């Protein structure tokens, strides 16, 4: 069923799902001598035993039973399995392929007894995604089949492909779990699933979108542990780290983080909030959406349906006697104005702006009609960031930089760089996790004067990066340290040119 075998951790053999057992007429149980016994319903296709044997990866003894006996065995065997406990237990090592094989077809949708395989499939997919550090799960219906793709470290890969008829079952179950309206298939919807996996709270943000061949679903895994992330884990070190810490120590002002979507801006802001969250400050946020719950921080989610946008939310939280406010993004003049006013009245304001580099943020705020003298007196620091894939330190291999790479990255020919290989530890991808690349501008006296005088980006950048690294030079330094590959570093340099 699956072209590319998913990398599954070794797991103890698990029982086959009820739907599969019923559809294929086979029940398995451990025999007293440690050998598994497979009971086949008379008349069933014995070819299914190949699949069962593959699933168990253990020797198998085979028996047959007349249909009536088989049905009794089937219901006895799965009587316990229908309980919630059995369902939860099956999360840990379920073979997704095999569970997918047990899915009912669309006609069985109303047959509630058959929901179990779909729930189990979705749970197993989410469990595996969490285990592998996946950020997004895409469930995409096409005429040819239902495709499940997962994004790990920024790269999307196909994970599972199922026959087209299971799409409505899987999508409906996800919608039920996320408390969405399953009868409504013509408009996009969004919701949440809250799960506990192996004692760990996992929030899944679900969004649906009608498409030609049915509803697409994207599930974003919000791992709450990430909210406790520290600067050093982010890769925020050296000058950029010093600049941010200095700015955070000020009683008021605006601190901005810039970068394209998916560059980790929010994670950096949460890390900053964590620094400030010492119990002596009132910290309030307006976010779209609230990605992680942070203890001790008052978080509000924008809700356009009731007119609660960033500007309205920011205005509201400023009436709540805050010390520090975080607004998810400054993307209109009104929000920019309120942020400036908040800073002038003694608040520390953290936010993001969608620009490519740190200097671009200054231009962006001027484009939003923030007066240069106000900007000069309120802006404290701007960070720009990207994420690069981190080389697996178990299997990375040293090589000497050839002419091309050396020229592009400004390294000496023959400099030792590292390339990915792939091992058990990294799921044979050669990479494990991602790390932030940063540049930072500290608005000092000189830069303040430049902004006040309407100085252009080149002048500001020239002064700002006299000592501090730029995104490109920070990425080069990471290549030299063996943290990432030249290709990843070059990708950053290129995105700076093309990304809006
Ligand atoms: Zn590895």
């Amino acid at each position: 069923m699956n072209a590319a075998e998913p990398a599954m951790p070794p797991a103890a053999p698990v029982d086959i799902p009820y739907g599969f057992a019923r559809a294929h007429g086979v029940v398995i149980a451990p025999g007293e001598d440690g050998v598994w016994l497979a009971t086949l319903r008379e008349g069933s296709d014995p070819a299914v035993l190949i699949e069962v044997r593959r699933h168990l990866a253990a020797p198998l003894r085979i028996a047959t039973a007349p249909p009536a006996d088989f049905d009794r065995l089937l219901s006895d065997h799965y009587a316990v399995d229908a309980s919630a406990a059995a369902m939860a237990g099956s999360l840990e090592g379920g073979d997704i392929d095999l569970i997918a094989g047990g899915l009912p077809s669309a006609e069985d949708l109303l047959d509630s007894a058959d929901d179990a395989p779909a729930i189990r499939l979705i749970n197993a997919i989410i469990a595996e995604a969490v285990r592998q550090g996946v950020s997004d799960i895409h469930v995409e219906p096409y005429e040819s089949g239902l495709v499940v793709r997962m994004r790990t470290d920024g790269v999307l890969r196909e994970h599972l492909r199922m026959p087209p008829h299971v799409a409505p079952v899987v999508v409906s179950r996800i919608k039920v779990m996320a408390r969405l309206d399953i009868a409504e298939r013509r408009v996009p919807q969004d919701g949440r699933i809250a799960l506990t996996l192996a004692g760990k709270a996992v929030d899944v943000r679900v969004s649906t979108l009608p498409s030609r061949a049915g509803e697409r679903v994207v599930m974003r895994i919000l791992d709450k542990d990430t909210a406790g992330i520290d600067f050093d884990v982010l890769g925020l070190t050296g000058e950029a780290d010093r600049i941010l810490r200095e700015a955070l120590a000020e009683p008021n002002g605006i601190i901005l983080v810039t970068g394209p979507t998916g560059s980790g801006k929010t994670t950096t802001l949460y890390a900053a909030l964590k620094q400030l969250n010492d119990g002596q400050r009132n910290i309030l946020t307006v976010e779209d959406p609230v990605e992680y719950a942070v203890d001790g921080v008052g978080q509000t989610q924008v809700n356009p349906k009731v007119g609660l946008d960033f500007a309205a939310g920011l205005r509201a939280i400023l009436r709540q006697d805050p010390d520090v406010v975080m607004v998810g993004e400054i993307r209109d003049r009104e929000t920019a104005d309120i942020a400036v006013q908040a800073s002038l009245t003694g608040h520390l304001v953290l936010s993001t702006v969608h620009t490519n580099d740190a200097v671009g943020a200054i231009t962006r705020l001027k484009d939003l009609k923030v007066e240069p003298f106000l900007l000069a007196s309120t802006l404290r620091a701007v960070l720009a960031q990207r994420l690069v894939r981190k080389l697996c330190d178990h299997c990375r291999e040293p090589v000497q930089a050839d002419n091309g790479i050396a020229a592009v990255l400004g390294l000496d020919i023959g400099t030792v760089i590292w390339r990915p290989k792939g091992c058990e530890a990294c799921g044979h991808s050669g990479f494990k996790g991602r790390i932030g690349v940063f540049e930072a501008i500290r608005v000092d006296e000189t830069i303040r004067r430049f902004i006040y005088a309407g100085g252009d980006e080149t002048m500001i950048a020239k002064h700002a990066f006299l000592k501090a690294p730029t995104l490109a030079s920070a990425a080069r330094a990471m290549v030299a340290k063996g943290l990432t590959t030249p290709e990843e570093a070059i990708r950053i340099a290129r995105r700076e040119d093309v990304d809006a």
Side-chain angles (χ1 to χ4, degrees):
M1 186 167 303
N2 190 0
E5 194 72 5
M8 293 290 293
V14 290
D15 203 352
I16 54 176
Y18 172 74
F20 184 93
R22 196 191 57 170
H24 297 280
V26 63
V27 168
I28 59 167
E32 58 269 31
D33 50 1
V35 178
W36 285 76
L37 176 68
T39 308
L40 199 64
R41 184 200 282 130
E42 280 177 10
S44 291
D45 184 356
V48 68
L49 294 169
I50 298 168
E51 181 85 352
V52 171
R53 172 74 178 73
R54 188 183 71 80
H55 169 66
L56 284 174
L60 199 63
R61 235 163 352 135
I62 297 151
T64 56
D69 292 352
F70 178 85
D71 288 347
R72 200 172 315 119
L73 176 66
L74 182 72
S75 59
D76 285 354
H77 185 78
Y78 284 94
V80 179
D81 191 62
S83 76
M87 208 82 84
S90 72
L91 284 182
E92 292 305 320
D95 183 329
I96 289 178
D97 258 356
L98 200 55
I99 298 172
L103 282 179
S105 59
E107 304 86 76
D108 297 336
L109 190 55
L110 297 175
D111 176 2
S112 66
D114 268 25
D115 269 0
I119 296 170
R120 225 179 333 188
L121 172 74
I122 295 157
N123 284 345
I125 288 173
I126 296 172
E128 188 171 342
V130 170
R131 210 163 30 224
Q132 294 188 4
V134 164
S135 60
D136 302 85
I137 305 167
H138 294 231
V139 179
E140 307 166 351
Y142 298 101
E143 274 83 2
S144 60
L146 183 68
V147 176
V148 176
R149 298 197 290 170
M150 296 193 186
R151 189 182 296 280
T152 311
D153 300 339
V155 180
L156 199 56
R157 277 197 203 86
E158 182 171 325
H159 196 85
L160 182 65
R161 192 173 273 266
M162 288 174 279
H165 68 79
V166 306
V169 185
V170 173
V171 171
S172 297
R173 280 318 315 185
I174 295 173
K175 287 171 73 179
V176 169
M177 291 166 82
R179 295 164 205 266
L180 302 179
D181 179 357
I182 58 164
E184 180 54 85
R185 299 191 189 89
R186 298 156 306 173
V187 297
Q189 296 185 57
D190 60 282
R192 256 165 198 264
I193 303 173
L195 291 171
T196 305
L197 288 174
K200 190 167 134 177
V202 178
D203 244 5
V204 183
R205 202 165 85 213
V206 179
S207 78
T208 70
L209 181 71
S211 80
R212 196 167 38 82
E215 284 174 289
R216 304 167 61 93
V217 178
V218 173
M219 292 185 274
R220 165 153 289 190
I221 314 273
L222 303 170
D223 187 340
K224 287 185 172 163
D225 290 352
T226 317
I229 204 159
D230 289 309
F231 288 158
D232 50 344
V233 179
L234 288 174
L236 186 56
T237 54
E239 268 306 277
D241 176 51
R242 193 186 59 77
I243 289 172
L244 180 58
R245 281 178 201 275
E246 253 183 45
L248 288 173
E250 300 207 19
N252 58 53
I254 299 175
I255 299 170
L256 297 174
V257 182
T258 80
T261 305
S263 55
K265 299 187 290 272
T266 314
T267 310
T268 301
L269 286 183
Y270 279 117
L273 289 184
K274 193 192 163 204
Q275 281 269 307
L276 298 168
N277 191 11
D278 58 0
Q280 296 174 20
R281 293 178 172 94
N282 183 19
I283 306 178
L284 299 174
T285 74
V286 197
E287 305 172 55
D288 179 23
V290 172
E291 288 199 22
Y292 310 105
V294 186
D295 245 11
V297 173
Q299 297 170 280
T300 301
Q301 182 157 324
V302 299
N303 185 354
K305 279 180 214 156
V306 297
L308 185 61
D309 55 11
F310 278 131
L314 184 53
R315 207 177 289 119
I317 61 175
L318 285 168
R319 288 192 289 261
Q320 294 269 315
D321 183 33
D323 298 289
V324 179
V325 295
M326 191 255 265
V327 53
E329 190 185 340
I330 296 180
R331 57 185 169 211
D332 55 63
R333 186 179 173 178
E334 201 184 354
T335 312
D337 281 344
I338 305 168
V340 168
Q341 289 308 320
S343 159
L344 290 172
T345 51
H347 303 97
L348 195 57
V349 182
L350 276 56
S351 190
T352 73
V353 180
H354 195 95
T355 59
N356 283 326
D357 54 27
V359 179
I362 296 170
T363 310
R364 179 92 182 101
L365 286 177
K366 282 187 196 160
D367 290 346
L368 292 177
K369 306 288 183 238
V370 176
E371 293 291 342
F373 76 94
L374 289 177
L375 189 57
S377 57
T378 53
L379 194 61
R380 299 287 179 260
V382 188
L383 255 72
Q385 81 176 88
R386 296 288 189 282
L387 291 174
V388 291
R389 289 192 290 164
K390 199 175 168 192
L391 276 167
C392 169
D393 49 16
H394 288 99
C395 64
R396 62 176 186 176
E397 290 182 329
V399 282
Q400 292 191 330
D402 62 22
N403 300 3
I405 297 283
V408 172
L409 290 175
L411 301 167
D412 293 330
I413 297 166
T415 303
V416 173
I417 54 172
W418 301 77
R419 69 178 174 203
K421 179 164 179 269
C423 69
E424 288 291 323
C426 57
H428 303 283
S429 68
F431 293 95
K432 197 142 200 241
R434 286 188 294 174
I435 188 164
V437 181
F438 295 89
E439 70 177 23
I441 293 180
R442 176 76 168 130
V443 182
D444 59 12
E445 204 39 58
T446 311
I447 290 183
R448 203 166 290 138
R449 274 203 304 274
F450 281 145
I451 297 174
Y452 187 81
D456 67 3
E457 291 196 7
T458 325
M459 276 169 72
I460 296 172
K462 207 172 153 193
H463 175 79
F465 300 119
L466 276 177
K467 284 176 289 175
T470 61
L471 276 174
S473 64
R476 274 201 297 276
M478 285 183 157
V479 173
K481 277 190 205 154
L483 287 170
T484 193
T485 64
E487 291 75 13
E488 287 286 298
I490 291 165
R491 194 168 55 85
I492 286 187
R494 203 179 299 133
R495 278 178 69 163
E496 278 178 61
D497 297 332
V498 297
D499 203 276

